[in-house]
Every structure is written in C-alpha cells, then in structure tokens.
Amino acid sequence: MLVIAGVSIVFHNMSGDSAVGSGSQVALVTGGYDHTIKLWQAHSGVCLRTMQHPDSQVNDLEINPNGQMVAACGYQHIRTYDLASANPDPVMNFENIIKNVSRVGFQENGQWMYTGGEDCTARIWDLRVGRPFQCQRIFEVPAPVNAAVLHPDQSQIIVGGQTGIIHIWDIRTDHHEQLIPEAEASIQDIAIDPEGKLMAAVNNKGNCYVWSLGGSPPRPVPRTKLQAHKKYALRCKFSYDSTMLVTTSGDWSARVWRTSDWSLMRELRHDSQRWVWDAAFTLDSRYLFTGSSDSYARLWDLEKGTLEREYCGHQKSITALAFRDQAV
Amino acid sequence: MATYDNKAWLLKNVRDAFIATDDTGLCEIVMAGEDFSKIYQNKAMEEKKRDRDKVLYQPSTSRGKGSETEDEDEKEVVTQFDPYPDMEDSDEDEPCPSYPRFTDEMVHRQRSNTAQWLDKKELALKKAAKIKVIKWEDPPAPLTAEQMSEVFTKVNIVKPEKKKSLLAEMLEKCPDLPHRQYLEYAKFDGTAQLGLPTKSFKIFMTMLPEKHQNYPLIVCVIASAKIKDLIGFTCYKYSIEHPDITLGSVHDYGLYIAEDDGEVDWAFPCLDNNEPCSKFGFTCLGLDLKRKESNSCPIADFEMNSFTCFPKASVSGQSNVNTSRQKTGDSDTSEIIRAMNTLNEGNRSKLGFQSGVVTDASQDKLYRVQLLHKVRANTPVQLGITLDTIEVVPLVTNKHAFWARPKYFLHSMNSVAWCQILEAKSSKTTFRIVYSPSHDISYHDRNNSVNVNLYHPNTIYKKHDFECEHDTARKIVDKVNTILDLRNSPCRREYKSVKEKKLQTRTSFNAKHMS
C-alpha cells in the first residue's frame, strides 16, 4: 500500500482497529435481519469484520464493559462474540432459551449479564469465572418482555412488556413495583439516564413517558409525556451528558429531545431510511448513530444536523446497534 | 456415478451407512435383528441349492451334459437374491458376467454423500467445540446475604464528567473519504456472506497508469451482483486500499476480458453491465473506461456458413474495435492500393474467386481457414487481409461457449515479417505468418510508450500457422507477400536480414565442418 500524507495514516489504523479489545479503540457493531453482525471502523465507514449469527435476527447488541466482547440476542439465542480476534463464530452460546430474547446488557464490571425475553422473564446470567451459575437470578412477569434496562446504581432492573406494565425489579430484595403509563399499549423500550435521575419509556403508539427518579428511595415520579412519534416507537436512549433523549420509530425518523424543556432538538430523517430501529450517542453527545430498515447505519452530527457517515454492507434491515466510544 | 441393481447389496450398504454414521448407536440396536442382506443371501444359497438338486435329480437324456456343466451351473445360476461379490461371506463366489463387476480401477466415484455429510458434521463439531455452551441453571439454593452483597452491590452514581470522544477526533482527522461515492456498492461484498453464493474475480485496473497494474485486485461479490455492481464494488474496494488514487464514475467504466497477466483482450466488447456476474465464466477482468462501440456486431454472431458481414476492417484501416490500433500512414496505403489494383487485374483472370473469399474489394479479403495450435485441436478462423492489417477472427459455432473461444488477433501489416507455405498435404496446405509484436504500433499505443523505438536488437518473432485448401493457401501467401514486398517495412527487412545471417552461419558451419 502506498502511504502518502495523512489520509493513509488514518487508513493504516484500519487493520489495527480490529484489535478493539485492546480497549484503546472505538467500536461500532450492527446486526440485523441478514443474520450477521458487522464490526465497523466508525470514522471511515469501512466494515472490518462480519460475524455470523445463524438461525436468527439480532434483536439487541451490547458491548461488554471491557470492550472485548459483544453480546447479541435473537430468537432462541444469546451469543457473545470476541471483538479482538478474527473469529466469525460466537465464543459463547447461551442455550435452553425459548422464544425471542429482546434485550441484553451487562453489569458495570461484567460480572453478570441480564436479558429480557418473550418467555416473560428477565434473567441474570452469572459470568464470573470459576463460580459457574452461582448467582443466576430469574424474574418472571405476566407478559412477554420487550425492554429491560439496568439502573446505573446496578441494583434494579426495569422490565417493560407487551401489556404495557413497567416492573421495577430490585435485584437484591426481589421486591418489585409496577407502573402502568398507558393502558393497552405495549412498552417497546425503556431508558435511564447515566446519572440515574430520569427514566423514559416508549410504546407502540409512539408515546414517550418520562419519570424522575431523583428522590430517596428512588421512587419514579411522572415528569412528562411526549407525543414523540405518530407511529410505533422502537427505542429510546439518553445521551451521556443526560441533556438529550433520542426516540426512534417506524415513522422513518429518529427524534432528539432536550431533557431541559422536552423540546424537539433534531429530527433525523433520510429519504430511504424507513424504520429506525436503534440509536447510540457518542461519548461527547455530539454525534448519534442510527440503524434502519434500509440496511444502512448512519452517523449524524447533532450540532449541525448533518449526515456525517453511512455504513453500508448489511443485506437486510439493521435492527440493533452498539457503540463503544473512548475518552481522550 | 455407478449404478447398482442388486437389492441385497444396496440394502447392506444402506444398513452399514446408517450404522456407521449414527453416533448414538440407536440405528444398530434397531436394526440388529434384521440384516436383510444376510437373509437375502441365505435365500440365494437355498435357491441355488434347490436348482442344483433339480438338475441332479432330473431324469433326463441330457443327464450327461448336465453333469459336465455342473460346476459351471453352480456359478452361473444367478438368483435375484445374489449379492455382489465384494460382500462379506461371498468370497468363494466367482465373478459372474451377468453382474457389473466393480474392480478397484473402476470404482472411482466421488465421495459418497455420507462421507461428505460426515465431513460437514465433523467441521460443525470442530466449530462447536470452540464455542462455549452455557445452559440456564436455576440457582441451587437461595443466595446468602454475603453472596448478594458480593455480586449485587448498589453503587453510588457519580455524575459522568464531560469527556471528549475519540471518534469525534478521528472524524475531524478524516474529513472526507474517496470511497464514499461508491458506498452503495459495499453491500455486494461476498466475503462475509452466510449461505449466499459468491464469486471471486481478479480485476486489473487497466485504466490506471501501468505502475498500478502490477497486481490484480481480488474482489469477491455475491453471485447475484450485476456487472455494474461488480464495477462499483471494485472501485469501492480499490479506493479504500488506495485513497490517494482518484477513480471516476462507475458508469464510465466497463469490464473487459483479460488474460492472467492482465492483458486485456480488446477484441471483445465489455461485459454487459446489467447481467449478473454469475453468468460469466471469466475470473480475470480488466477495468477500463468504456470504449465507443459504434458497430456492436458481436463476433459471436458470425455463423460458420454465412459470414457475410464483417464490419471491422475497411480501406482506411479504421477498426470499430479500437481505432488507435491502426495508425498506419494513409499516404503509403493509397500508393499500395494503386499497386495492388494493377496486380489484381492481372490475377483476377487467372485465379477467379475461391469459396473462402467473401468480399470482392480487391484490397480487403476474408478467408476461412483453420488456425493450427500446438496442443489443442485446430479452430476455424476468419483470416482478414487488408493492406494495413491481418486479422484473425475466431469462428465459433457454439455461441454459448463464448468464454472458450480462441483468441482474436489483429496485426498491423508493418509488424508482419514473413509469410510462406510450410507443407502441402494431400488435401490441405499449411502456411505460416510470422509477425513481431514489438513492431506493432498498436502494441506501443497500448503500453503508452511515447517514443517508439523501432530498432529492436532482440526482436521476438511469433507465428501463426494456418491450414486450408491448396489454392486458397497459395493465394493468401501470394497476397500477403505482395503486400509485404510493397510495404517493405522495417520489421520485414530486419527479419530478412536475420534469416540471411542464420543461413550464412549455417552454411559457414557446414563448410567448416566439411573441411
């Protein structure tokens, strides 16, 4: 390869970028209906690797806290993949699962993993080496689970399901509280801001409900209700600085809301985008990734409202996306 | 593939296959008591015995004859239950002509489905061995308070401080990327497909300066990608690897058939942009700007018996394939035409028209001859001789075998050095045309060397050998030689002098040897 000027140096990093596991790199991972998971070089838009996710679409992706692994969940499958090696196959396969697993996430030290699925449960998988399954936990709810999120204090998992009930499960005591923001509307996603002060949930009517969690004990207090989208909402996420909330939807758009006054900050729309399934902020909350049914992932500059990068390579819809940024 | 018609033999094989490939051993248990092949075999023995007994106890006049052939009968009476001889317990059986006998040499069929299946399974097992399988297990006992506090500790949330993103920094460093214009073609990447058929090509970047053409770009696309997608993906891949080189619009490029060494065969038009790439058998292609193909009469359309139109060459030496190849001076051409016309007037009465001659333009003739190859069978070609060029167009009857077609040649008359009859056989005459690629102007054109040095101390001469009827051969040789003599090109002069020198050394050697 001819190396001329600065651009090539950047490209030189390309091969090194596959060593995401070193923890010094940025990783963007997408997955979807084509049964593959792709690792991208986020700044150039080049696909670095493709991993196989046989027999199932990818419902959710999460990079583990040390950046070595990505967990993917789908129909009857939870798998983890090594991001640092060139292995296209999973390294771990969690079996004996029925139905769709809709969400996966990690405890902040990577000691355990939690999942929520259509078998009406949320589960905690003990990942510690040498003490297998000692602390497995299971939490059963009456309806299929669409959303599960871990509170930043690591002691509660918020589970939302098809009947529209949000369960706040205290892991240590097994106590749980219920919230019903809207009758007969399926909860599609739940998010808690990194400071643990706000909780948002979106439903299949396109509505977004926000609660304050500030008090002690942290009891959710209704804060606001947004008519976020006219159609089915799919995801919601807070930015790292808690100033923004993004909601994505089947109305072919992603919308970014200011958490200060709940006003609409940006509407991210692209002519060919179709359903926007997932989104992720960068660490400085300036950029946002979206993944959509047109099989493209996109990077948007939220300050300028411009489309910065496109990630093309998937054969079918991108339904899940995970991004790990690095502080400098 | 072999065909088996013996039930017992088939049964035994099917049975064995089941038992051999079943890891659980269940098949063996299930089928333990029912080895039909053995049952059939026993039945066959009984039947044979019965037949023999019949013969033995037959009170007949042909008794003597029967006893004579007794042993033979035993072997030749073949019952429906007889196994193939390679079955166990049938060693004593003699080969019997009524069955196909599979000797070791004959049994050379492909690996059986079972074997292939086993291979696949083994591969899957190996793959699976690397994957750690974790099954859900309910906790054996309620967790102790200690365990609880160890794993499920509540942490104090620290307000995340404002951080600078590494990605943002990288984005700033890398403002725009050349491959972005080809991004839509990225999805045709075949290297990362699960279950989709893919196809790989070696693509030479013919449109780039020569220094970038040394190595082909290996491109793997999904088989359903069209040629235009392949072009787009090639540009995408190339611009990622070589961000310093600017490529043009995908629509301006065409893919041309090329040799292993990257030399493009310009005789063929570029591949149709809208055809799926899986349709083509070529693996080596050259990417270049699309050329104007004003007369798109593809060579494949020539029929063996009626090749009436031949749009390539004309008096002016213009070619529809590549105009840059025939830059011979018009002035000397017209002179030669005049000379030729006088020549032809004399010849016409003598020779008349041969069957191979299609056009009656005196300076532009087409002949149907056989091109001889060293190894392969001869191929029918159309030899076009004009004042400026010699053109060898392969004629192929089978249009579907487009890729298997022999090569097309176009030589400037200035690069042709020699033409002579080699051998006159009973029905056909073979003749040879010697040419030098280094004297071909188009050759230099293609290689972008501006200063054409016509002096080549080590000129390489190549040859084509043809075969056709005596008269036609004589006529072609005469014609070519007339043109060559009239032109008296440097190439011909050089070749002549080399030939003379060779002749001299040979005679001098002989003289020395004799003395």
Side-chain angles (χ1 to χ4, degrees), chain A residues 93 95 131 309 315 325, chain B residues 132 134 150 165 174 187:
Chain A
N93 197 352
E95 282 192 348
R131 280 176 285 184
R309 292 284 184 274
Q315 300 291 316
D325 207 345
Chain B
K132 193 175 165 190
I134 295 162
E150 191 187 339
S165 155
C174 180
K187 61 168 169 279

Side-chain angles (χ1 to χ4, degrees), chain B residues 155-175:
Chain B
V155 297
N156 288 323
I157 305 164
V158 275
K159 194 184 168 182
E161 47 193 294
K162 187 98 180 162
K163 286 172 190 162
K164 225 181 155 227
S165 155
L166 178 60
L167 175 75
E169 205 177 88
M170 286 162 112
L171 286 170
E172 276 165 32
K173 275 186 200 161
C174 180

